[in-house]
Amino acid sequence: MESIPQDTLFEFNPDTLVYLRKQYDLDKPGRIEEAIDILEDWIKKQNHFTVKSFPRDYLERTIIISKGSVERAKTKLDKLCTSRTVLPHFYEEIDLKNPDLLEDMYGCFLPKLTKDHYRVYIFKCNAKTLKAGLINYYRYFFMQCEYVQAHDYCNGIIAVADYTEANMLEVLKWFNAVDVRESIMLLREGYGMRIKGIHLLSGSKALDAMVAIFKQVLSAKVAGRLYTHKSIDDVATIIDKDIIPVEYGGKEKPLIELHKKNLEVLSSDSFTAHLREIKKAKTDENLRLSATEADQYLGMPGSFRTLSVD
């Protein structure tokens, strides 16, 4: 890939491709192609992989998000394929055209990158009651992660969760350590997204309980990147105004407009076909070379729950 293809949802800085390749010593002629060749050859030898062929630009993004390390890329790809086998509840297909599905919560990765090439994600929850809990949003979020894996080129993510208009006590009823641990593990170890910061917005004292849940599952390193804010006005002090939506003091379109565009793209025939195809990339644990390897990747066969998130 000599340049980043133009994308429907994402924009890139003029130097994003060069910067990230140079940062990981992949800017020399032929170096990235060599790395992809090595990863492709390794994939073909994995007996437990149900799919042994991936688009080369998909593999390049896997290598970049793995800090340029082919060995890390192997591990992340294995964990992602394994997660589709052992965490199927996050991958159930949902109807994004159903207007009631995400009625009280929405969010998306923002179009523009920060100056240091991080992608910002903003989640907005207005819920006073949650009839179906949070599971459909987890599913929607990982659909977005699949889009990122297939189309984005970035250094990592900055996450903002806005609960300023939500009933925090109702949210906490459905916010549990198991789901948070599994989803962050999948985000970090499967999709390989490096978390620069997690910003939680709410004036409610119940936010302390949410922070406590996060700290149960985050390593000290990532927990040190967890911040709380009482007002949405704080967002404009931590992220460039050119990037964030107008309601947060920025110059970007309103979050709900960006969210609706995401729904349109993610529910399109082309992306639905891609999603169904990539979901076939799982593992057959009976064919993995040894139980020790499964333990190495997931803490226990079939579970993410014993791993620390770093």
Side-chain angles (χ1 to χ4, degrees):
M1 184 168 64
E2 297 307 315
S3 62
I4 303 174
Q6 188 172 356
D7 188 70
T8 305
L9 294 180
F10 295 145
E11 300 173 27
F12 306 94
N13 298 336
D15 62 334
T16 294
L17 183 70
V18 173
Y19 176 91
L20 292 179
R21 286 185 177 179
K22 186 174 183 179
Q23 179 171 273
Y24 303 126
D25 196 29
L26 293 170
D27 57 324
K28 297 180 177 62
R31 182 66 62 85
I32 186 64
E33 294 300 321
E34 179 186 3
I36 297 170
D37 288 344
I38 293 170
L39 186 55
E40 278 189 323
D41 186 58
W42 174 83
I43 290 169
K44 292 174 183 176
K45 296 175 182 177
Q46 302 314 298
N47 294 333
H48 61 296
F49 276 22
T50 58
V51 170
K52 298 182 186 293
S53 177
F54 296 84
R56 287 181 68 85
D57 58 346
Y58 184 95
L59 297 180
E60 176 171 343
R61 289 178 170 88
T62 303
I63 293 168
I64 288 294
I65 207 68
S66 302
K67 296 185 177 181
S69 167
V70 175
E71 293 307 308
R72 285 188 182 186
K74 291 176 184 178
T75 301
K76 290 186 184 301
L77 192 58
D78 196 336
K79 287 181 177 179
L80 184 53
C81 291
T82 303
S83 74
R84 297 190 184 106
T85 301
V86 302
L87 298 174
H89 53 288
F90 283 141
Y91 293 96
E92 289 184 21
E93 193 167 316
I94 55 176
D95 181 10
L96 295 182
K97 295 180 180 179
N98 180 353
D100 298 327
L101 186 66
L102 303 170
E103 183 180 12
D104 296 320
M105 59 189 80
Y106 54 92
C108 62
F109 291 95
L110 302 185
K112 296 182 177 66
L113 291 170
T114 64
K115 292 177 182 177
D116 50 355
H117 311 280
Y118 281 85
R119 185 72 62 188
V120 178
Y121 189 89
I122 298 185
F123 165 72
K124 172 71 173 176
C125 181
N126 299 321
K128 306 305 177 187
T129 60
L130 289 171
K131 298 175 183 177
L134 299 169
I135 186 60
N136 281 330
Y137 199 87
Y138 282 121
R139 292 165 180 161
Y140 170 53
F141 177 70
F142 288 120
M143 288 176 67
Q144 294 177 81
C145 289
E146 291 288 2
Y147 189 91
V148 166
Q149 184 80 6
H151 296 270
D152 202 8
Y153 214 89
C154 68
N155 212 8
I157 66 168
I158 300 170
V160 177
D162 179 3
Y163 298 99
T164 54
E165 297 181 38
N167 179 348
M168 283 297 290
L169 294 177
E170 177 70 12
V171 173
L172 285 171
K173 282 168 52 179
W174 298 96
F175 197 82
N176 64 78
V178 172
D179 287 343
V180 174
R181 180 182 289 115
E182 289 180 341
S183 61
I184 292 180
M185 180 58 63
L186 180 50
L187 178 68
R188 293 267 299 155
E189 303 300 331
Y191 292 101
M193 295 187 190
R194 296 193 299 282
I195 300 173
K196 186 177 183 181
I198 301 173
H199 300 267
L200 307 177
L201 313 180
S202 176
S204 170
K205 292 182 179 179
L207 186 64
D208 292 340
M210 180 176 286
V211 170
I213 293 173
F214 268 111
K215 288 188 174 181
Q216 286 181 46
V217 303
L218 296 175
S219 68
K221 181 179 178 181
V222 179
R225 301 171 187 166
L226 181 64
Y227 309 93
T228 59
H229 309 269
K230 293 183 178 180
S231 169
I232 64 173
D233 295 336
D234 289 354
V235 178
T237 68
I238 56 178
I239 303 171
D240 191 352
K241 291 183 179 181
D242 287 338
I243 295 173
I244 57 176
V246 291
E247 64 266 40
Y248 295 94
K251 300 178 181 179
E252 185 54 84
K253 294 176 182 177
L255 183 62
I256 188 63
E257 287 189 26
L258 298 174
H259 167 71
K260 288 178 178 178
K261 184 175 181 181
N262 268 258
L263 290 179
E264 181 181 335
V265 172
L266 268 60
S267 61
S268 66
D269 291 343
S270 60
F271 184 71
T272 298
H274 165 78
L275 199 61
R276 289 174 178 169
E277 193 63 28
I278 202 66
K279 281 168 65 175
K280 296 176 183 177
K282 300 180 180 181
T283 57
D284 183 340
E285 294 304 321
N286 293 322
L287 298 178
R288 193 183 286 272
L289 291 181
S290 71
T292 303
E293 289 190 27
D295 293 343
Q296 203 174 26
Y297 288 125
L298 298 175
M300 290 178 60
S303 173
F304 279 80
R305 297 179 186 176
T306 62
L307 289 177
S308 62
V309 181
D310 185 26

PDB file of all heavy atoms in Angstrom, residues 11-34:
ATOM      1  N   GLU A  11     -10.740  10.332   7.862  1.00  0.00           N
ATOM      2  CA  GLU A  11      -9.767  11.209   7.228  1.00  0.00           C
ATOM      3  C   GLU A  11      -8.405  10.938   7.871  1.00  0.00           C
ATOM      4  O   GLU A  11      -8.325  10.411   8.983  1.00  0.00           O
ATOM      5  CB  GLU A  11     -10.160  12.679   7.427  1.00  0.00           C
ATOM      6  CG  GLU A  11     -11.515  13.032   6.839  1.00  0.00           C
ATOM      7  CD  GLU A  11     -11.952  14.447   7.192  1.00  0.00           C
ATOM      8  OE1 GLU A  11     -11.048  15.304   7.420  1.00  0.00           O
ATOM      9  OE2 GLU A  11     -13.161  14.708   7.264  1.00  0.00           O
ATOM     10  N   PHE A  12      -7.341  11.311   7.158  1.00  0.00           N
ATOM     11  CA  PHE A  12      -5.991  11.058   7.654  1.00  0.00           C
ATOM     12  C   PHE A  12      -5.154  12.319   7.517  1.00  0.00           C
ATOM     13  O   PHE A  12      -5.416  13.165   6.661  1.00  0.00           O
ATOM     14  CB  PHE A  12      -5.351   9.899   6.882  1.00  0.00           C
ATOM     15  CG  PHE A  12      -6.181   8.649   6.889  1.00  0.00           C
ATOM     16  CD1 PHE A  12      -7.072   8.374   5.852  1.00  0.00           C
ATOM     17  CD2 PHE A  12      -6.105   7.755   7.944  1.00  0.00           C
ATOM     18  CE1 PHE A  12      -7.862   7.234   5.866  1.00  0.00           C
ATOM     19  CE2 PHE A  12      -6.892   6.615   7.973  1.00  0.00           C
ATOM     20  CZ  PHE A  12      -7.768   6.350   6.931  1.00  0.00           C
ATOM     21  N   ASN A  13      -4.158  12.428   8.371  1.00  0.00           N
ATOM     22  CA  ASN A  13      -3.220  13.532   8.237  1.00  0.00           C
ATOM     23  C   ASN A  13      -2.335  13.292   7.015  1.00  0.00           C
ATOM     24  O   ASN A  13      -2.113  12.137   6.633  1.00  0.00           O
ATOM     25  CB  ASN A  13      -2.351  13.655   9.491  1.00  0.00           C
ATOM     26  CG  ASN A  13      -3.171  13.952  10.740  1.00  0.00           C
ATOM     27  OD1 ASN A  13      -4.276  14.501  10.650  1.00  0.00           O
ATOM     28  ND2 ASN A  13      -2.656  13.576  11.896  1.00  0.00           N
ATOM     29  N   PRO A  14      -1.827  14.349   6.395  1.00  0.00           N
ATOM     30  CA  PRO A  14      -0.999  14.164   5.194  1.00  0.00           C
ATOM     31  C   PRO A  14       0.202  13.242   5.412  1.00  0.00           C
ATOM     32  O   PRO A  14       0.645  12.566   4.489  1.00  0.00           O
ATOM     33  CB  PRO A  14      -0.542  15.594   4.864  1.00  0.00           C
ATOM     34  CG  PRO A  14      -1.593  16.470   5.461  1.00  0.00           C
ATOM     35  CD  PRO A  14      -2.043  15.776   6.703  1.00  0.00           C
ATOM     36  N   ASP A  15       0.724  13.212   6.653  1.00  0.00           N
ATOM     37  CA  ASP A  15       1.931  12.426   6.927  1.00  0.00           C
ATOM     38  C   ASP A  15       1.663  11.148   7.708  1.00  0.00           C
ATOM     39  O   ASP A  15       2.605  10.512   8.195  1.00  0.00           O
ATOM     40  CB  ASP A  15       2.936  13.285   7.704  1.00  0.00           C
ATOM     41  CG  ASP A  15       2.407  13.727   9.070  1.00  0.00           C
ATOM     42  OD1 ASP A  15       1.165  13.814   9.227  1.00  0.00           O
ATOM     43  OD2 ASP A  15       3.224  13.986   9.974  1.00  0.00           O
ATOM     44  N   THR A  16       0.401  10.731   7.836  1.00  0.00           N
ATOM     45  CA  THR A  16       0.079   9.575   8.674  1.00  0.00           C
ATOM     46  C   THR A  16       0.811   8.308   8.240  1.00  0.00           C
ATOM     47  O   THR A  16       1.438   7.624   9.054  1.00  0.00           O
ATOM     48  CB  THR A  16      -1.441   9.316   8.678  1.00  0.00           C
ATOM     49  OG1 THR A  16      -2.107  10.414   9.314  1.00  0.00           O
ATOM     50  CG2 THR A  16      -1.775   8.041   9.445  1.00  0.00           C
ATOM     51  N   LEU A  17       0.739   7.975   6.965  1.00  0.00           N
ATOM     52  CA  LEU A  17       1.355   6.738   6.473  1.00  0.00           C
ATOM     53  C   LEU A  17       2.864   6.746   6.714  1.00  0.00           C
ATOM     54  O   LEU A  17       3.429   5.795   7.274  1.00  0.00           O
ATOM     55  CB  LEU A  17       1.053   6.558   4.982  1.00  0.00           C
ATOM     56  CG  LEU A  17       1.585   5.269   4.352  1.00  0.00           C
ATOM     57  CD1 LEU A  17       0.807   4.065   4.874  1.00  0.00           C
ATOM     58  CD2 LEU A  17       1.490   5.324   2.829  1.00  0.00           C
ATOM     59  N   VAL A  18       3.516   7.833   6.323  1.00  0.00           N
ATOM     60  CA  VAL A  18       4.970   7.945   6.460  1.00  0.00           C
ATOM     61  C   VAL A  18       5.363   7.945   7.936  1.00  0.00           C
ATOM     62  O   VAL A  18       6.316   7.263   8.348  1.00  0.00           O
ATOM     63  CB  VAL A  18       5.491   9.222   5.760  1.00  0.00           C
ATOM     64  CG1 VAL A  18       6.971   9.432   6.058  1.00  0.00           C
ATOM     65  CG2 VAL A  18       5.255   9.141   4.263  1.00  0.00           C
ATOM     66  N   TYR A  19       4.637   8.706   8.752  1.00  0.00           N
ATOM     67  CA  TYR A  19       4.965   8.828  10.177  1.00  0.00           C
ATOM     68  C   TYR A  19       4.917   7.471  10.880  1.00  0.00           C
ATOM     69  O   TYR A  19       5.844   7.099  11.609  1.00  0.00           O
ATOM     70  CB  TYR A  19       3.998   9.802  10.843  1.00  0.00           C
ATOM     71  CG  TYR A  19       4.187   9.935  12.342  1.00  0.00           C
ATOM     72  CD1 TYR A  19       5.036  10.898  12.869  1.00  0.00           C
ATOM     73  CD2 TYR A  19       3.521   9.083  13.222  1.00  0.00           C
ATOM     74  CE1 TYR A  19       5.219  11.015  14.238  1.00  0.00           C
ATOM     75  CE2 TYR A  19       3.701   9.181  14.590  1.00  0.00           C
ATOM     76  CZ  TYR A  19       4.549  10.164  15.099  1.00  0.00           C
ATOM     77  OH  TYR A  19       4.727  10.266  16.451  1.00  0.00           O
ATOM     78  N   LEU A  20       3.813   6.732  10.682  1.00  0.00           N
ATOM     79  CA  LEU A  20       3.658   5.472  11.397  1.00  0.00           C
ATOM     80  C   LEU A  20       4.658   4.420  10.918  1.00  0.00           C
ATOM     81  O   LEU A  20       5.204   3.666  11.722  1.00  0.00           O
ATOM     82  CB  LEU A  20       2.228   4.966  11.259  1.00  0.00           C
ATOM     83  CG  LEU A  20       1.166   5.812  11.982  1.00  0.00           C
ATOM     84  CD1 LEU A  20      -0.220   5.227  11.768  1.00  0.00           C
ATOM     85  CD2 LEU A  20       1.460   5.909  13.473  1.00  0.00           C
ATOM     86  N   ARG A  21       4.900   4.366   9.617  1.00  0.00           N
ATOM     87  CA  ARG A  21       5.888   3.407   9.119  1.00  0.00           C
ATOM     88  C   ARG A  21       7.293   3.750   9.640  1.00  0.00           C
ATOM     89  O   ARG A  21       8.044   2.862  10.057  1.00  0.00           O
ATOM     90  CB  ARG A  21       5.880   3.380   7.594  1.00  0.00           C
ATOM     91  CG  ARG A  21       4.680   2.663   7.000  1.00  0.00           C
ATOM     92  CD  ARG A  21       4.803   2.571   5.495  1.00  0.00           C
ATOM     93  NE  ARG A  21       3.702   1.823   4.895  1.00  0.00           N
ATOM     94  CZ  ARG A  21       3.566   1.612   3.588  1.00  0.00           C
ATOM     95  NH1 ARG A  21       4.463   2.100   2.745  1.00  0.00           N
ATOM     96  NH2 ARG A  21       2.543   0.917   3.119  1.00  0.00           N
ATOM     97  N   LYS A  22       7.635   5.032   9.631  1.00  0.00           N
ATOM     98  CA  LYS A  22       8.954   5.440  10.107  1.00  0.00           C
ATOM     99  C   LYS A  22       9.098   5.177  11.598  1.00  0.00           C
ATOM    100  O   LYS A  22      10.158   4.758  12.074  1.00  0.00           O
ATOM    101  CB  LYS A  22       9.168   6.924   9.809  1.00  0.00           C
ATOM    102  CG  LYS A  22      10.572   7.411  10.143  1.00  0.00           C
ATOM    103  CD  LYS A  22      10.784   8.853   9.689  1.00  0.00           C
ATOM    104  CE  LYS A  22      12.209   9.312   9.971  1.00  0.00           C
ATOM    105  NZ  LYS A  22      12.433  10.705   9.513  1.00  0.00           N
ATOM    106  N   GLN A  23       8.031   5.411  12.347  1.00  0.00           N
ATOM    107  CA  GLN A  23       8.061   5.214  13.797  1.00  0.00           C
ATOM    108  C   GLN A  23       8.418   3.778  14.162  1.00  0.00           C
ATOM    109  O   GLN A  23       9.066   3.523  15.177  1.00  0.00           O
ATOM    110  CB  GLN A  23       6.686   5.584  14.382  1.00  0.00           C
ATOM    111  CG  GLN A  23       6.567   5.393  15.878  1.00  0.00           C
ATOM    112  CD  GLN A  23       5.270   5.970  16.420  1.00  0.00           C
ATOM    113  OE1 GLN A  23       5.195   7.129  16.744  1.00  0.00           O
ATOM    114  NE2 GLN A  23       4.240   5.141  16.523  1.00  0.00           N
ATOM    115  N   TYR A  24       8.019   2.834  13.312  1.00  0.00           N
ATOM    116  CA  TYR A  24       8.256   1.418  13.595  1.00  0.00           C
ATOM    117  C   TYR A  24       9.291   0.796  12.656  1.00  0.00           C
ATOM    118  O   TYR A  24       9.323  -0.412  12.458  1.00  0.00           O
ATOM    119  CB  TYR A  24       6.928   0.659  13.532  1.00  0.00           C
ATOM    120  CG  TYR A  24       5.915   1.219  14.484  1.00  0.00           C
ATOM    121  CD1 TYR A  24       4.659   1.610  14.039  1.00  0.00           C
ATOM    122  CD2 TYR A  24       6.225   1.388  15.831  1.00  0.00           C
ATOM    123  CE1 TYR A  24       3.733   2.149  14.930  1.00  0.00           C
ATOM    124  CE2 TYR A  24       5.306   1.929  16.715  1.00  0.00           C
ATOM    125  CZ  TYR A  24       4.059   2.315  16.253  1.00  0.00           C
ATOM    126  OH  TYR A  24       3.150   2.848  17.137  1.00  0.00           O
ATOM    127  N   ASP A  25      10.120   1.673  12.054  1.00  0.00           N
ATOM    128  CA  ASP A  25      11.226   1.221  11.208  1.00  0.00           C
ATOM    129  C   ASP A  25      10.735   0.370  10.033  1.00  0.00           C
ATOM    130  O   ASP A  25      11.352  -0.632   9.673  1.00  0.00           O
ATOM    131  CB  ASP A  25      12.244   0.438  12.057  1.00  0.00           C
ATOM    132  CG  ASP A  25      13.587   0.282  11.349  1.00  0.00           C
ATOM    133  OD1 ASP A  25      13.932   1.164  10.544  1.00  0.00           O
ATOM    134  OD2 ASP A  25      14.264  -0.726  11.589  1.00  0.00           O
ATOM    135  N   LEU A  26       9.603   0.783   9.459  1.00  0.00           N
ATOM    136  CA  LEU A  26       9.050   0.066   8.311  1.00  0.00           C
ATOM    137  C   LEU A  26       9.044   0.943   7.056  1.00  0.00           C
ATOM    138  O   LEU A  26       8.346   0.650   6.085  1.00  0.00           O
ATOM    139  CB  LEU A  26       7.607  -0.384   8.621  1.00  0.00           C
ATOM    140  CG  LEU A  26       7.462  -1.451   9.711  1.00  0.00           C
ATOM    141  CD1 LEU A  26       5.987  -1.616  10.091  1.00  0.00           C
ATOM    142  CD2 LEU A  26       8.038  -2.780   9.255  1.00  0.00           C
ATOM    143  N   ASP A  27       9.816   2.021   7.102  1.00  0.00           N
ATOM    144  CA  ASP A  27       9.788   2.981   5.994  1.00  0.00           C
ATOM    145  C   ASP A  27      10.820   2.687   4.908  1.00  0.00           C
ATOM    146  O   ASP A  27      10.759   3.264   3.829  1.00  0.00           O
ATOM    147  CB  ASP A  27      10.009   4.404   6.527  1.00  0.00           C
ATOM    148  CG  ASP A  27      11.308   4.548   7.312  1.00  0.00           C
ATOM    149  OD1 ASP A  27      11.676   3.590   8.007  1.00  0.00           O
ATOM    150  OD2 ASP A  27      11.939   5.620   7.226  1.00  0.00           O
ATOM    151  N   LYS A  28      11.748   1.781   5.183  1.00  0.00           N
ATOM    152  CA  LYS A  28      12.745   1.439   4.162  1.00  0.00           C
ATOM    153  C   LYS A  28      12.081   0.667   3.020  1.00  0.00           C
ATOM    154  O   LYS A  28      11.136  -0.092   3.249  1.00  0.00           O
ATOM    155  CB  LYS A  28      13.878   0.620   4.783  1.00  0.00           C
ATOM    156  CG  LYS A  28      14.667   1.379   5.845  1.00  0.00           C
ATOM    157  CD  LYS A  28      15.772   0.518   6.407  1.00  0.00           C
ATOM    158  CE  LYS A  28      16.618   1.312   7.413  1.00  0.00           C
ATOM    159  NZ  LYS A  28      15.830   1.751   8.571  1.00  0.00           N
ATOM    160  N   PRO A  29      12.540   0.830   1.787  1.00  0.00           N
ATOM    161  CA  PRO A  29      11.918   0.166   0.629  1.00  0.00           C
ATOM    162  C   PRO A  29      11.806  -1.349   0.829  1.00  0.00           C
ATOM    163  O   PRO A  29      12.781  -2.023   1.172  1.00  0.00           O
ATOM    164  CB  PRO A  29      12.880   0.500  -0.525  1.00  0.00           C
ATOM    165  CG  PRO A  29      13.518   1.782  -0.111  1.00  0.00           C
ATOM    166  CD  PRO A  29      13.670   1.703   1.378  1.00  0.00           C
ATOM    167  N   GLY A  30      10.618  -1.856   0.636  1.00  0.00           N
ATOM    168  CA  GLY A  30      10.383  -3.293   0.715  1.00  0.00           C
ATOM    169  C   GLY A  30      10.190  -3.846   2.113  1.00  0.00           C
ATOM    170  O   GLY A  30       9.819  -5.016   2.271  1.00  0.00           O
ATOM    171  N   ARG A  31      10.422  -3.021   3.167  1.00  0.00           N
ATOM    172  CA  ARG A  31      10.370  -3.535   4.542  1.00  0.00           C
ATOM    173  C   ARG A  31       8.946  -3.955   4.939  1.00  0.00           C
ATOM    174  O   ARG A  31       8.762  -5.032   5.509  1.00  0.00           O
ATOM    175  CB  ARG A  31      10.898  -2.469   5.506  1.00  0.00           C
ATOM    176  CG  ARG A  31      10.937  -2.905   6.978  1.00  0.00           C
ATOM    177  CD  ARG A  31      11.929  -4.019   7.200  1.00  0.00           C
ATOM    178  NE  ARG A  31      13.279  -3.634   6.896  1.00  0.00           N
ATOM    179  CZ  ARG A  31      14.110  -3.002   7.746  1.00  0.00           C
ATOM    180  NH1 ARG A  31      13.694  -2.672   8.950  1.00  0.00           N
ATOM    181  NH2 ARG A  31      15.338  -2.707   7.378  1.00  0.00           N
ATOM    182  N   ILE A  32       7.947  -3.140   4.634  1.00  0.00           N
ATOM    183  CA  ILE A  32       6.579  -3.491   5.031  1.00  0.00           C
ATOM    184  C   ILE A  32       6.084  -4.690   4.245  1.00  0.00           C
ATOM    185  O   ILE A  32       5.395  -5.574   4.773  1.00  0.00           O
ATOM    186  CB  ILE A  32       5.618  -2.279   4.878  1.00  0.00           C
ATOM    187  CG1 ILE A  32       4.231  -2.615   5.447  1.00  0.00           C
ATOM    188  CG2 ILE A  32       5.508  -1.838   3.418  1.00  0.00           C
ATOM    189  CD1 ILE A  32       4.190  -2.880   6.922  1.00  0.00           C
ATOM    190  N   GLU A  33       6.469  -4.781   2.959  1.00  0.00           N
ATOM    191  CA  GLU A  33       6.064  -5.925   2.144  1.00  0.00           C
ATOM    192  C   GLU A  33       6.691  -7.216   2.677  1.00  0.00           C
ATOM    193  O   GLU A  33       6.046  -8.267   2.715  1.00  0.00           O
ATOM    194  CB  GLU A  33       6.486  -5.705   0.679  1.00  0.00           C
ATOM    195  CG  GLU A  33       5.773  -4.550  -0.011  1.00  0.00           C
ATOM    196  CD  GLU A  33       4.268  -4.741  -0.044  1.00  0.00           C
ATOM    197  OE1 GLU A  33       3.819  -5.885  -0.245  1.00  0.00           O
ATOM    198  OE2 GLU A  33       3.544  -3.740   0.135  1.00  0.00           O
ATOM    199  N   GLU A  34       7.934  -7.118   3.121  1.00  0.00           N
ATOM    200  CA  GLU A  34       8.607  -8.277   3.696  1.00  0.00           C
ATOM    201  C   GLU A  34       7.899  -8.732   4.974  1.00  0.00           C
ATOM    202  O   GLU A  34       7.707  -9.932   5.200  1.00  0.00           O
ATOM    203  CB  GLU A  34      10.064  -7.929   3.997  1.00  0.00           C
ATOM    204  CG  GLU A  34      10.858  -9.065   4.624  1.00  0.00           C
ATOM    205  CD  GLU A  34      12.259  -8.638   5.038  1.00  0.00           C
ATOM    206  OE1 GLU A  34      12.596  -7.435   4.888  1.00  0.00           O
ATOM    207  OE2 GLU A  34      13.014  -9.509   5.526  1.00  0.00           O
TER     208      GLU A  34
END
